[in-house]
Amino acid sequence: MESKNILRYLDPGDFQKIKEFSADKETPFLVLNLNRIERKFDELKKNLPYAKIYYAVKANPNSEVIKVLADRGSNFDIATIFELNQLLDLGISAERMSYGNTIKKEKDIAYAYSKGVRLFATDSESDLNKIAKQAPGSRVFFRILCDGSGADWPLSRKFGAHLDVIFNLALRAKKLGLEPYGLSFHVGSQQRDIGQWDNAIAQCKYMFDSLSEADIELKMINIGGGFPSDYLQPSNNIEIYAREVTRFLQEDFGDNIPEIIVEPGRSVTGDSGVIVTEAVLISQKSIANHYSWLYLDIGKFGGLIETLDEAIKYPIFTETSATGDLDENDDNLKEYIIAGPTCDSMDILYENNKYKLDKNLKEGDKIYILTTGAYTTSYSAICFNGIPPLKTYVTRF
Ligand SMILES: *Cc1c(COP(=O)(O)O)cnc(C)c1O
């Protein structure tokens, strides 16, 4: 049954290969398929041929991942000097990096500048002053506030500023000897409403025009991340996102589309990962319950923190049964609440959204959590309850 269903997420034969690969290994771990990462990167490049890609390192900072993307010509959006150092150690030049975090220590700006970083995001006067002091003459881009609506994992409130603040920042940047280079926004991660780019690009157009009247000619728009991975709830494919975003840009800017930067994280690495885990305990808390509790050897602290509020719903498969939109009424399935192994009661993955899985599932059986290539290993705790961080096996199939 799952061989029919799982093909939405994996190529034919891949599930079998993952099972074989996993057979002799201690769970939990993440299997990353570099071929798929390359394919997702190439797809994005093909669909947004005019855009410069800056991979958001935080989505999956695995060095093998960074290397294959670097080989394909990707640039990189870094958030900290630690990511900067990792990339420098891999031989990636600072010219290919943007310092996209709006929250920076002054000494970290100085360090990044000393290593050659010349492109910085900002959304506040204080941060701008630090950049002017420690990274003189650099290009800065200003992050516009987005509310994140329509996104499974919104990045709202914390980042960006309203247009009145942005306007003043651009004037001040020029006065301080920086180059007010462009604007950025992030419409929210796993953004399902493509119209959110329309709103944001329209704001950019308004800002380009207003600043032009003040003699500041911006040159660049960073359209952020937000492009989808394939979770339980289907999303549009990247062709449709790219086509729509391109249309919005053309509607607002006509033939004068500025330089476009895109910063994908999730959409590049998400689909390439499968977490292999094991059923530790299966139990019922009341004899009358028609569902069971299924405790895995991975949970929120092991890398699945994006299940907070059950925001991201990963496709989950067992050896024998599938969950998702198919076979809901199959007699061989039953409902499970799925939880992690740690001694914290918030470590429950799915309770409101119970998953239908094989009713004969046994402790020790392997369970496969798909679309886990992004925002898993980088979120994994280092030793809660003594559990080591999530291991990654990088492979190609
Ligand atoms: C996290 C992040 C991204 C990547 O977003 P995705 O939705 O994972 O593609 C891009 N830009 C910035 C500034 C980010 O913080």
Side-chain angles (χ1 to χ4, degrees):
M1 171 204 331
E2 88 278 357
S3 59
K4 190 169 52 174
N5 209 336
I6 204 166
L7 290 178
R8 197 183 116 198
Y9 306 102
L10 294 176
D11 292 338
D14 283 2
F15 191 33
Q16 193 54 36
K17 284 179 205 154
I18 290 168
K19 284 187 197 175
E20 283 163 19
F21 184 84
S22 306
D24 59 348
K25 296 185 176 64
E26 193 59 39
T27 60
F29 54 85
L30 171 71
V31 184
L32 263 189
N33 179 4
L34 289 183
N35 286 349
R36 167 99 39 147
I37 292 177
E38 291 178 343
R39 210 194 313 155
K40 298 301 280 189
F41 181 85
D42 292 348
E43 256 175 40
L44 182 69
K45 202 161 146 179
K46 183 172 131 233
N47 284 288
L48 288 175
Y50 53 85
K52 250 176 118 173
I53 302 177
Y54 282 69
Y55 172 66
V57 172
K58 74 176 191 286
N60 189 324
N62 185 286
S63 289
E64 301 282 322
V65 172
I66 301 294
K67 275 192 274 184
V68 297
L69 294 175
D71 286 347
R72 288 180 125 62
S74 187
N75 302 286
F76 297 91
D77 183 56
I78 56 158
T80 64
I81 57 163
F82 306 105
E83 289 180 347
L84 168 64
N85 283 338
Q86 183 199 351
L87 268 58
L88 290 173
D89 287 348
L90 293 172
I92 298 166
S93 111
E95 284 154 38
R96 293 170 72 179
M97 300 179 209
S98 63
Y99 202 144
N101 195 345
T102 54
I103 306 155
K104 305 182 268 306
K105 293 181 184 173
E106 188 168 325
K107 66 172 194 264
D108 291 350
I109 296 170
Y111 180 78
Y113 183 78
S114 78
K115 295 294 176 183
V117 177
R118 294 291 182 271
L119 184 59
F120 294 84
T122 193
D123 64 1
S124 67
E125 187 176 328
S126 179
D127 183 60
L128 184 71
N129 291 342
K130 293 187 226 172
I131 297 170
K133 195 160 146 213
Q134 301 297 345
S138 291
R139 289 177 166 173
V140 285
F141 57 96
F142 309 98
R143 183 153 168 182
I144 293 174
L145 187 70
C146 286
D147 69 6
S149 59
D152 283 1
W153 193 257
L155 299 163
S156 53
R157 305 204 315 282
K158 182 169 169 182
F159 304 103
H162 285 288
L163 297 188
D164 51 356
V165 171
I166 300 288
F167 185 86
N168 289 332
L169 288 177
L171 298 186
R172 184 167 177 78
K174 189 177 171 186
K175 211 176 293 171
L176 293 172
L178 295 164
E179 182 182 353
Y181 191 62
L183 301 172
S184 73
F185 56 81
H186 195 304
V187 293
S189 200
Q190 190 70 13
Q191 176 56 264
R192 297 180 179 280
D193 175 10
I194 305 179
Q196 295 298 322
W197 274 273
D198 196 7
N199 295 340
I201 290 167
Q203 291 189 55
C204 290
K205 169 64 177 162
Y206 175 79
M207 220 53 234
F208 267 61
D209 291 347
S210 310
L211 283 167
S212 180
E213 283 167 27
D215 268 342
I216 292 178
E217 305 296 337
L218 296 177
K219 298 193 182 68
M220 179 277 280
I221 299 178
N222 176 335
I223 62 171
F227 302 97
S229 276
D230 202 6
Y231 300 110
L232 267 195
Q233 187 191 341
S235 56
N236 282 304
N237 59 32
I238 196 70
E239 287 84 6
I240 295 178
Y241 277 79
R243 189 190 68 206
E244 289 296 284
V245 167
T246 303
R247 186 167 66 82
F248 302 145
L249 286 167
Q250 285 166 344
E251 277 173 8
D252 282 328
F253 289 91
D255 292 333
N256 292 318
I257 295 181
E259 177 188 331
I260 299 296
I261 282 178
V262 59
E263 286 175 344
R266 188 185 301 280
S267 64
V268 173
T269 51
D271 290 356
S272 70
V274 175
I275 284 177
V276 184
T277 169
E278 177 182 307
V280 177
L281 177 71
I282 299 170
S283 69
Q284 298 221 167
K285 297 200 184 286
S286 157
I287 292 172
N289 285 351
H290 61 279
Y291 56 85
S292 295
W293 281 72
L294 164 61
Y295 301 91
L296 305 176
D297 59 9
I298 188 172
K300 279 198 156 61
F301 302 99
L304 300 175
I305 196 71
E306 288 199 317
T307 60
L308 267 177
D309 297 330
E310 308 188 19
I312 297 290
K313 293 180 197 69
Y314 297 108
I316 299 180
F317 289 83
T318 62
E319 302 277 341
T320 56
S321 75
T323 185
D325 30 3
L326 297 177
D327 306 313
E328 283 291 302
N329 300 316
D330 194 298
D331 278 350
N332 296 314
L333 303 181
K334 73 183 259 189
E335 285 190 326
Y336 292 91
I337 293 173
I338 304 179
T342 66
C343 301
D344 189 314
S345 56
M346 73 89 82
D347 189 11
I348 297 172
L349 304 178
Y350 301 108
E351 186 172 13
N352 295 324
N353 298 281
K354 296 183 183 62
Y355 273 58
K356 283 193 170 174
L357 300 170
D358 185 353
K359 73 173 183 198
N360 297 316
L361 197 63
K362 296 186 308 297
E363 293 170 7
D365 284 354
K366 285 205 168 72
I367 289 159
Y368 303 85
I369 309 179
L370 271 55
T371 320
T372 41
Y375 302 116
T376 51
T377 47
S378 49
Y379 275 142
S380 173
I382 57 162
C383 84
F384 185 45
N385 276 164
I387 299 170
L390 181 61
K391 202 185 312 167
T392 301
Y393 292 102
V394 175
T395 174
R396 288 182 181 273
F397 49 82

